[in-house]
Amino acid sequence: MEQLNYVHLRGHIGNVRISKVGERSVCNFSVATNMILRNSENQPMEDTQWHICVAWSSKKLPDFTGIVTGAPVEVEGRLRTNRYTGNDGVERSVCEVQVNNLNMLPAGERLQTPAV
């Protein structure tokens, strides 16, 4: 069986930062995904997970004009963990999605939150 590192997210965009690195653009953005869980009293409560995404401009991702806060989006990519040492000398790691495919969903559409 072959190894697989694949992520497929459908949610809403949070923070967006676009910058240039040489001739290419890089877009750092977050995607919020929600799920309805039940607490100890069996009451429904919404759980939001934030995912850090990084997309580099390419033939598949030519520009990032449609990436705005609150927009519904579908992201495909792979997980990557980056390790670094902070200013305080403590080693940290962050897990992010390296985006291969980005699909903006119809504007104004609110995605449904699944119940578990």
Side-chain angles (χ1 to χ4, degrees):
M1 186 179 296
E2 68 183 74
Q3 297 180 22
L4 181 63
N5 181 351
Y6 176 77
V7 176
H8 187 144
L9 300 172
R10 190 176 300 128
H12 292 91
I13 294 177
N15 295 330
V16 179
R17 189 181 80 228
I18 301 173
S19 52
K20 282 280 213 189
V21 178
E23 295 294 315
R24 296 176 71 188
S25 296
V26 61
C27 183
N28 295 281
F29 62 99
S30 57
V31 173
T33 57
N34 298 320
M35 205 167 44
I36 303 293
L37 301 173
R38 300 249 175 218
N39 63 16
S40 59
E41 289 86 36
N42 204 26
Q43 298 297 316
M45 57 184 240
E46 190 170 42
D47 178 46
T48 302
Q49 294 290 311
W50 288 95
H51 312 277
I52 300 168
C53 299
V54 179
W56 288 86
S57 61
S58 66
K59 289 180 182 175
K60 283 178 82 172
L61 302 170
D63 66 1
F64 305 113
T65 54
I67 300 180
V68 294
T69 301
V73 67
E74 192 169 44
V75 173
E76 293 178 18
R78 63 185 187 90
L79 289 179
R80 180 184 168 130
T81 303
N82 289 322
R83 291 177 179 77
Y84 64 95
T85 303
N87 293 336
D88 55 1
V90 176
E91 190 169 317
R92 294 182 170 85
S93 63
V94 61
C95 186
E96 58 191 23
V97 177
Q98 296 288 305
V99 178
N100 295 332
N101 194 16
L102 179 71
N103 184 21
M104 300 305 296
L105 300 174
E109 181 177 320
R110 224 31 220 165
L111 300 175
Q112 292 182 343
T113 302
V116 177

